[in-house]
Amino acid sequence: MRNILKKPLLVLAAGTLFSTIALGKATEITLWEQMEPAVRPTYIKIVDEFMKKNPDVKVNVVHYSNEDLRTQFQNASLAGQGPDIVYGPNDNIGIFMVSDLIKPIDKVVSKDLIQKFNEGALKSGMYDNQLYLLPEFLGNQIALLYNKDIVANAPKNWEEFLKIAQANRTVDAKDKANSKYGFLYNEKEPFWFVGFYNGFGGEIFDSKNNPTLDNQAMIDALTFVRDIRAKYNLGEAGMDYDIASQLFKQNKAAMILNGAWSWKEYEDAGINLGVAPMPIPSKNGYALFTNASKGYSLSENTSDKKTEALNKFFDYIFSPEINAEISLNQSQAPGIEAARELSQVKNDKLMQDSIETIKYTVPMPVVPEMRAIWDAVRPNLEAVLNGKMTPEDAAKKMQKDAVDGIKIIKGE
């Protein structure tokens, strides 16, 4: 099976000390990851440092993109191959569990280590009350980003937001290069949209993980996102992640929506960055984007003979100082509670913005049914934005598509 796997974007047999390790004596651990580009160099440095201090363990780090990581891990594991550790988002847990591709990680690591995690972060790695993922961080939340050189103070409600956004829009259809925008965001991406749905009072699943998409909250959320351009004259037709991000970096967008993983990138680009929750015209008053974690899961194929080496690696990577260093590179709240108390975390503005805005989030469901939700939302959301479907009809169609998709996932 291995010969049909796609070639990874980058293969790093991490360890400049490879030649100094006596082959046959070191226990090899293979780790597949999908680290963000901004954090990968730091991560490789940390793994190298681990091997210098632990020459009896060799860690092979292999990088994949997010989608490739999931599919390649599934294919390889089903063939009895693949890595010992897979590092990725916690919403992969449900998909991997369906095929028994990962094993409970609390059966391998020590109780002392597990007790060091933040409670909310630890819950993000659980499925059916068992721990399948050791969370590097808790975050990934989307928030309102504003350029303080354009917007002095974050809007506290929808009326303030609308006034600021419209006042900073000077769009000339014949001169787009010099146009400026009050607000832009990745309008067709379901991960962004569900924050509005939650903010209007919606919930993705009922208590039995049945989809709950055909309701007034969905109609209100779809009407709201349609009106951003059609009624409030904000944004731009076709706006997506890259358009919003690039125009914000060029000081041509006063406010955008983007996730915690991106905030440092804007500061590095010289943007005088402000971070706040996103006001919307709902009873709740704010969008409620999802929070999620990334972390380490153990392949079902991992040999018990590697337990000692795995514990050495996890004890090192989850020391407060190392956990803080990796989390700071991503502006994400550390998974280890003691890391949040370190001065480098408390004195980091973006880290504190992350810890503050995570209050305006809800946990991302980690059940396998979530895949069907994303697939059901995307085309029907686009149909509403393009004026080809009413919010009422789109809500009904989303529900049907989600139910059908879940039947396929379950093989019914």
Side-chain angles (χ1 to χ4, degrees):
M1 176 61 79
R2 184 177 292 277
N3 63 341
I4 69 171
L5 300 180
K6 291 179 64 175
K7 186 179 181 180
L9 295 178
L10 175 66
V11 178
L12 293 169
T16 53
L17 290 184
F18 175 76
S19 59
T20 68
I21 297 173
L23 288 176
K25 293 183 179 179
T27 300
E28 290 200 25
I29 297 172
T30 300
L31 188 160
W32 288 6
E33 50 83 7
Q34 51 90 254
M35 295 275 177
E36 298 294 334
V39 75
R40 201 175 303 135
T42 297
Y43 188 74
I44 295 303
K45 173 186 73 72
I46 288 171
V47 174
D48 279 345
E49 290 172 351
F50 164 77
M51 289 193 291
K52 288 179 183 176
K53 296 177 180 179
N54 298 273
D56 58 335
V57 182
K58 178 174 181 285
V59 183
N60 301 305
V61 181
V62 183
H63 177 73
Y64 287 94
S65 67
N66 188 28
E67 290 299 320
D68 280 349
L69 179 78
R70 186 174 64 244
T71 55
Q72 299 306 320
F73 179 71
Q74 287 176 302
N75 291 338
S77 297
L78 286 171
Q81 301 179 22
D84 301 295
I85 305 171
V86 58
Y87 174 96
N90 65 330
D91 61 352
N92 279 343
I93 295 175
I95 295 291
F96 293 160
M97 281 301 304
V98 170
S99 303
D100 294 326
L101 302 183
I102 54 177
K103 65 172 81 173
I105 201 165
D106 51 358
K107 306 291 186 187
V108 175
V109 301
S110 69
K111 290 183 180 178
D112 287 344
L113 176 61
I114 293 173
Q115 290 174 351
K116 294 177 181 177
F117 284 89
N118 169 269
E119 183 179 357
L122 200 62
K123 285 182 178 177
S124 73
M126 302 191 76
Y127 184 89
D128 278 350
N129 295 317
Q130 283 198 295
L131 184 64
Y132 287 92
L133 178 142
L134 295 177
E136 186 87 70
F137 60 78
L138 180 66
N140 256 16
Q141 75 274 26
I142 292 169
L144 179 69
L145 310 184
Y146 60 100
N147 186 330
K148 290 182 178 179
D149 292 336
I150 302 173
V151 181
N153 298 301
K156 294 182 176 62
N157 53 52
W158 170 248
E159 288 74 22
E160 287 187 12
F161 172 89
L162 189 57
K163 185 178 179 180
I164 293 170
Q166 290 179 332
N168 285 284
R169 177 183 167 85
T170 54
V171 176
D172 184 343
K174 297 180 180 179
D175 186 15
K176 288 295 182 70
N178 291 310
S179 294
K180 294 190 176 181
Y181 300 86
F183 176 64
L184 294 165
Y185 81 108
N186 192 6
E187 66 173 358
K188 294 181 180 179
E189 174 56 49
F191 187 66
W192 269 246
F193 173 75
V194 295
F196 298 127
Y197 178 52
N198 295 330
F200 279 97
E203 294 185 4
I204 295 172
F205 295 112
D206 64 15
S207 60
K208 297 182 178 178
N209 292 333
N210 297 307
T212 52
L213 305 180
D214 183 14
N215 51 43
Q216 189 59 47
M218 180 59 76
I219 294 171
D220 290 345
L222 288 168
T223 301
F224 172 70
V225 297
R226 180 195 63 188
D227 287 352
I228 285 178
R229 282 193 285 117
K231 179 179 178 180
Y232 304 120
N233 196 30
L234 299 177
E236 174 81 350
M239 57 182 171
D240 59 15
Y241 188 100
D242 290 337
I243 289 173
S245 185
Q246 289 304 314
L247 289 175
F248 191 62
K249 285 181 182 177
Q250 297 167 11
N251 291 302
K252 293 181 178 178
M255 299 183 287
I256 67 169
L257 292 176
N258 211 346
W261 62 84
S262 70
W263 301 349
K264 191 172 185 302
E265 178 183 339
Y266 297 124
E267 282 201 335
D268 291 345
I271 297 299
N272 189 6
L273 184 67
V275 181
M278 169 67 190
I280 61 172
S282 71
K283 184 179 179 181
N284 171 63
Y286 291 96
L288 296 174
F289 296 103
T290 56
N291 65 59
S293 64
K294 281 186 180 179
Y296 303 84
S297 296
L298 279 184
S299 168
E300 187 64 44
N301 299 324
T302 302
S303 169
D304 293 341
K305 295 179 181 177
K306 298 184 178 183
T307 296
E308 182 179 351
L310 289 167
N311 272 287
K312 281 187 177 181
F313 177 69
F314 288 133
D315 285 343
Y316 185 83
I317 213 77
F318 284 112
S319 64
E321 292 76 14
I322 297 297
N323 185 229
E325 184 177 358
I326 296 174
S327 299
L328 280 165
N329 269 272
Q330 305 174 81
S331 302
Q332 310 272 18
I336 296 297
E337 191 66 50
R340 300 185 181 199
E341 300 302 318
L342 298 175
S343 60
Q344 58 267 44
V345 173
K346 286 192 169 183
N347 295 331
D348 187 275
K349 179 187 174 300
L350 289 184
M351 186 63 77
Q352 294 308 307
D353 285 339
S354 182
I355 293 172
E356 178 62 26
T357 54
I358 209 167
K359 297 174 183 174
Y360 297 86
T361 64
V362 297
M364 168 76 77
V366 296
V367 294
E369 290 88 345
M370 198 63 204
R371 183 72 260 167
I373 299 297
W374 298 133
D375 292 343
V377 169
R378 186 184 298 276
N380 295 299
L381 168 62
E382 288 189 16
V384 171
L385 293 171
N386 294 332
K388 296 180 179 178
M389 188 178 284
T390 66
E392 290 80 2
D393 288 343
K396 288 183 171 58
K397 186 68 163 42
M398 281 184 190
Q399 178 70 18
K400 181 181 183 304
D401 290 350
V403 170
D404 291 345
I406 289 172
K407 287 180 179 176
I408 293 173
I409 290 173
K410 293 182 175 178
E412 296 176 352

